[in-house]
mmCIF file of all heavy atoms in Angstrom:
data_model
loop_
_atom_site.group_PDB
_atom_site.id
_atom_site.type_symbol
_atom_site.label_atom_id
_atom_site.label_comp_id
_atom_site.label_asym_id
_atom_site.label_seq_id
_atom_site.Cartn_x
_atom_site.Cartn_y
_atom_site.Cartn_z
ATOM 1 N N PRO A 288 -6.602 4.466 11.790
ATOM 2 C CA PRO A 288 -7.745 5.360 11.550
ATOM 3 C C PRO A 288 -7.327 6.747 11.254
ATOM 4 O O PRO A 288 -8.167 7.488 10.686
ATOM 5 C CB PRO A 288 -8.628 5.300 12.788
ATOM 6 C CG PRO A 288 -7.670 4.999 13.957
ATOM 7 C CD PRO A 288 -6.691 4.115 13.307
ATOM 8 N N LEU A 289 -6.098 7.181 11.583
ATOM 9 C CA LEU A 289 -5.641 8.589 11.312
ATOM 10 C C LEU A 289 -4.778 8.891 10.158
ATOM 11 O O LEU A 289 -4.341 9.952 9.992
ATOM 12 C CB LEU A 289 -5.011 9.050 12.612
ATOM 13 C CG LEU A 289 -5.788 8.985 14.000
ATOM 14 C CD1 LEU A 289 -4.961 9.307 15.141
ATOM 15 C CD2 LEU A 289 -7.029 9.921 13.906
ATOM 16 N N HIS A 290 -4.588 7.774 9.362
ATOM 17 C CA HIS A 290 -3.822 7.918 8.151
ATOM 18 C C HIS A 290 -4.584 7.701 6.907
ATOM 19 O O HIS A 290 -5.512 6.742 7.011
ATOM 20 C CB HIS A 290 -2.574 7.096 8.158
ATOM 21 C CG HIS A 290 -1.527 7.611 9.215
ATOM 22 N ND1 HIS A 290 -1.681 7.342 10.553
ATOM 23 C CD2 HIS A 290 -0.329 8.194 9.019
ATOM 24 C CE1 HIS A 290 -0.705 7.952 11.170
ATOM 25 N NE2 HIS A 290 0.146 8.398 10.251
ATOM 26 N N HIS A 291 -4.421 8.252 5.928
ATOM 27 C CA HIS A 291 -5.210 8.187 4.608
ATOM 28 C C HIS A 291 -4.338 7.915 3.442
ATOM 29 O O HIS A 291 -3.095 8.403 3.283
ATOM 30 C CB HIS A 291 -6.139 9.372 4.396
ATOM 31 C CG HIS A 291 -7.204 9.429 5.431
ATOM 32 N ND1 HIS A 291 -6.932 10.037 6.679
ATOM 33 C CD2 HIS A 291 -8.503 9.087 5.385
ATOM 34 C CE1 HIS A 291 -8.051 10.028 7.399
ATOM 35 N NE2 HIS A 291 -9.049 9.482 6.596
ATOM 36 N N ALA A 292 -4.866 7.204 2.511
ATOM 37 C CA ALA A 292 -4.022 6.766 1.347
ATOM 38 C C ALA A 292 -3.634 7.854 0.337
ATOM 39 O O ALA A 292 -2.641 7.841 -0.219
ATOM 40 C CB ALA A 292 -4.679 5.594 0.565
ATOM 41 N N ASP A 293 -4.578 8.832 0.119
ATOM 42 C CA ASP A 293 -4.363 9.907 -0.713
ATOM 43 C C ASP A 293 -5.365 11.033 -0.426
ATOM 44 O O ASP A 293 -6.065 10.888 0.506
ATOM 45 C CB ASP A 293 -4.454 9.487 -2.181
ATOM 46 C CG ASP A 293 -5.928 8.920 -2.491
ATOM 47 O OD1 ASP A 293 -6.862 9.461 -1.982
ATOM 48 O OD2 ASP A 293 -5.857 7.879 -3.191
ATOM 49 N N ASP A 294 -5.188 12.150 -1.085
ATOM 50 C CA ASP A 294 -5.945 13.304 -0.822
ATOM 51 C C ASP A 294 -7.492 13.214 -0.969
ATOM 52 O O ASP A 294 -8.277 13.818 -0.167
ATOM 53 C CB ASP A 294 -5.434 14.625 -1.521
ATOM 54 C CG ASP A 294 -5.426 14.415 -3.041
ATOM 55 O OD1 ASP A 294 -5.117 13.262 -3.458
ATOM 56 O OD2 ASP A 294 -5.715 15.397 -3.770
ATOM 57 N N TRP A 295 -7.942 12.354 -1.914
ATOM 58 C CA TRP A 295 -9.327 12.099 -2.126
ATOM 59 C C TRP A 295 -9.810 11.271 -1.013
ATOM 60 O O TRP A 295 -11.045 11.481 -0.648
ATOM 61 C CB TRP A 295 -9.628 11.516 -3.500
ATOM 62 C CG TRP A 295 -9.385 12.474 -4.575
ATOM 63 C CD1 TRP A 295 -8.259 12.520 -5.518
ATOM 64 C CD2 TRP A 295 -10.159 13.615 -4.969
ATOM 65 N NE1 TRP A 295 -8.362 13.606 -6.239
ATOM 66 C CE2 TRP A 295 -9.537 14.391 -6.032
ATOM 67 C CE3 TRP A 295 -11.352 14.160 -4.341
ATOM 68 C CZ2 TRP A 295 -10.075 15.445 -6.602
ATOM 69 C CZ3 TRP A 295 -11.886 15.305 -4.885
ATOM 70 C CH2 TRP A 295 -11.261 15.895 -5.997
ATOM 71 N N HIS A 296 -9.125 10.193 -0.659
ATOM 72 C CA HIS A 296 -9.487 9.531 0.487
ATOM 73 C C HIS A 296 -9.740 10.427 1.719
ATOM 74 O O HIS A 296 -10.680 10.297 2.576
ATOM 75 C CB HIS A 296 -8.428 8.420 0.807
ATOM 76 C CG HIS A 296 -8.786 7.459 1.835
ATOM 77 N ND1 HIS A 296 -7.845 6.680 2.591
ATOM 78 C CD2 HIS A 296 -9.971 6.866 2.315
ATOM 79 C CE1 HIS A 296 -8.360 5.930 3.346
ATOM 80 N NE2 HIS A 296 -9.790 6.024 3.284
ATOM 81 N N LEU A 297 -8.792 11.342 2.053
ATOM 82 C CA LEU A 297 -8.841 12.212 3.108
ATOM 83 C C LEU A 297 -10.098 13.138 2.966
ATOM 84 O O LEU A 297 -10.852 13.355 3.917
ATOM 85 C CB LEU A 297 -7.649 13.088 3.121
ATOM 86 C CG LEU A 297 -7.544 14.139 4.283
ATOM 87 C CD1 LEU A 297 -7.346 13.618 5.576
ATOM 88 C CD2 LEU A 297 -6.551 15.127 3.987
ATOM 89 N N TYR A 298 -10.234 13.692 1.724
ATOM 90 C CA TYR A 298 -11.405 14.595 1.450
ATOM 91 C C TYR A 298 -12.696 13.942 1.745
ATOM 92 O O TYR A 298 -13.551 14.510 2.549
ATOM 93 C CB TYR A 298 -11.386 15.133 0.031
ATOM 94 C CG TYR A 298 -12.624 15.768 -0.423
ATOM 95 C CD1 TYR A 298 -12.950 17.050 0.072
ATOM 96 C CD2 TYR A 298 -13.533 15.101 -1.167
ATOM 97 C CE1 TYR A 298 -14.201 17.638 -0.214
ATOM 98 C CE2 TYR A 298 -14.765 15.748 -1.500
ATOM 99 C CZ TYR A 298 -14.994 17.046 -1.015
ATOM 100 O OH TYR A 298 -16.206 17.620 -1.356
ATOM 101 N N PHE A 299 -12.942 12.789 1.173
ATOM 102 C CA PHE A 299 -14.337 12.165 1.396
ATOM 103 C C PHE A 299 -14.581 11.802 2.860
ATOM 104 O O PHE A 299 -15.620 12.134 3.337
ATOM 105 C CB PHE A 299 -14.427 10.874 0.529
ATOM 106 C CG PHE A 299 -15.834 10.429 0.465
ATOM 107 C CD1 PHE A 299 -16.634 10.782 -0.588
ATOM 108 C CD2 PHE A 299 -16.302 9.446 1.393
ATOM 109 C CE1 PHE A 299 -17.962 10.355 -0.651
ATOM 110 C CE2 PHE A 299 -17.609 9.135 1.239
ATOM 111 C CZ PHE A 299 -18.243 9.533 0.355
ATOM 112 N N ASN A 300 -13.504 11.257 3.501
ATOM 113 C CA ASN A 300 -13.704 10.958 4.889
ATOM 114 C C ASN A 300 -13.953 12.247 5.877
ATOM 115 O O ASN A 300 -14.887 12.285 6.728
ATOM 116 C CB ASN A 300 -12.507 10.138 5.516
ATOM 117 C CG ASN A 300 -12.650 8.711 5.143
ATOM 118 O OD1 ASN A 300 -13.566 8.188 4.633
ATOM 119 N ND2 ASN A 300 -11.554 7.941 5.361
ATOM 120 N N MET A 301 -13.108 13.145 5.590
ATOM 121 C CA MET A 301 -13.288 14.363 6.484
ATOM 122 C C MET A 301 -14.463 15.297 6.163
ATOM 123 O O MET A 301 -15.021 15.925 6.954
ATOM 124 C CB MET A 301 -11.865 15.201 6.445
ATOM 125 C CG MET A 301 -10.731 14.445 7.100
ATOM 126 S SD MET A 301 -11.009 14.045 8.817
ATOM 127 C CE MET A 301 -11.385 12.285 8.722
ATOM 128 N N ALA A 302 -14.901 15.336 4.850
ATOM 129 C CA ALA A 302 -16.068 15.992 4.535
ATOM 130 C C ALA A 302 -17.262 15.351 5.176
ATOM 131 O O ALA A 302 -18.150 16.002 5.665
ATOM 132 C CB ALA A 302 -16.223 16.079 2.990
ATOM 133 N N SER A 303 -17.216 14.029 5.265
ATOM 134 C CA SER A 303 -18.295 13.242 5.927
ATOM 135 C C SER A 303 -18.190 13.593 7.378
ATOM 136 O O SER A 303 -19.223 13.748 8.072
ATOM 137 C CB SER A 303 -18.080 11.766 5.555
ATOM 138 O OG SER A 303 -19.139 11.032 6.323
ATOM 139 N N MET A 304 -16.922 13.505 7.937
ATOM 140 C CA MET A 304 -16.841 13.797 9.438
ATOM 141 C C MET A 304 -17.292 15.177 9.729
ATOM 142 O O MET A 304 -17.888 15.439 10.803
ATOM 143 C CB MET A 304 -15.351 13.609 9.756
ATOM 144 C CG MET A 304 -14.941 14.089 11.318
ATOM 145 S SD MET A 304 -15.758 12.999 12.371
ATOM 146 C CE MET A 304 -15.611 14.001 13.833
ATOM 147 N N LEU A 305 -17.057 16.181 8.856
ATOM 148 C CA LEU A 305 -17.488 17.554 9.135
ATOM 149 C C LEU A 305 -19.006 17.556 9.491
ATOM 150 O O LEU A 305 -19.383 18.214 10.426
ATOM 151 C CB LEU A 305 -17.188 18.513 7.912
ATOM 152 C CG LEU A 305 -17.650 19.884 7.888
ATOM 153 C CD1 LEU A 305 -16.938 20.645 9.148
ATOM 154 C CD2 LEU A 305 -17.274 20.597 6.661
ATOM 155 N N TRP A 306 -19.781 16.980 8.580
ATOM 156 C CA TRP A 306 -21.178 17.040 8.702
ATOM 157 C C TRP A 306 -21.792 16.181 9.761
ATOM 158 O O TRP A 306 -22.689 16.599 10.526
ATOM 159 C CB TRP A 306 -21.898 16.792 7.355
ATOM 160 C CG TRP A 306 -21.525 17.764 6.331
ATOM 161 C CD1 TRP A 306 -20.742 17.591 5.252
ATOM 162 C CD2 TRP A 306 -21.918 19.103 6.197
ATOM 163 N NE1 TRP A 306 -20.616 18.734 4.495
ATOM 164 C CE2 TRP A 306 -21.356 19.634 5.189
ATOM 165 C CE3 TRP A 306 -22.768 20.005 7.023
ATOM 166 C CZ2 TRP A 306 -21.571 21.071 4.732
ATOM 167 C CZ3 TRP A 306 -22.814 21.296 6.702
ATOM 168 C CH2 TRP A 306 -22.288 21.757 5.466
#
Side-chain angles (χ1 to χ4, degrees):
L289 300 175
H290 288 75
H291 291 82
D293 55 44
D294 56 323
W295 287 109
H296 188 205
L297 176 76
Y298 166 74
F299 194 89
N300 279 350
M301 291 302 102
S303 181
M304 176 64 201
L305 175 63
W306 297 109

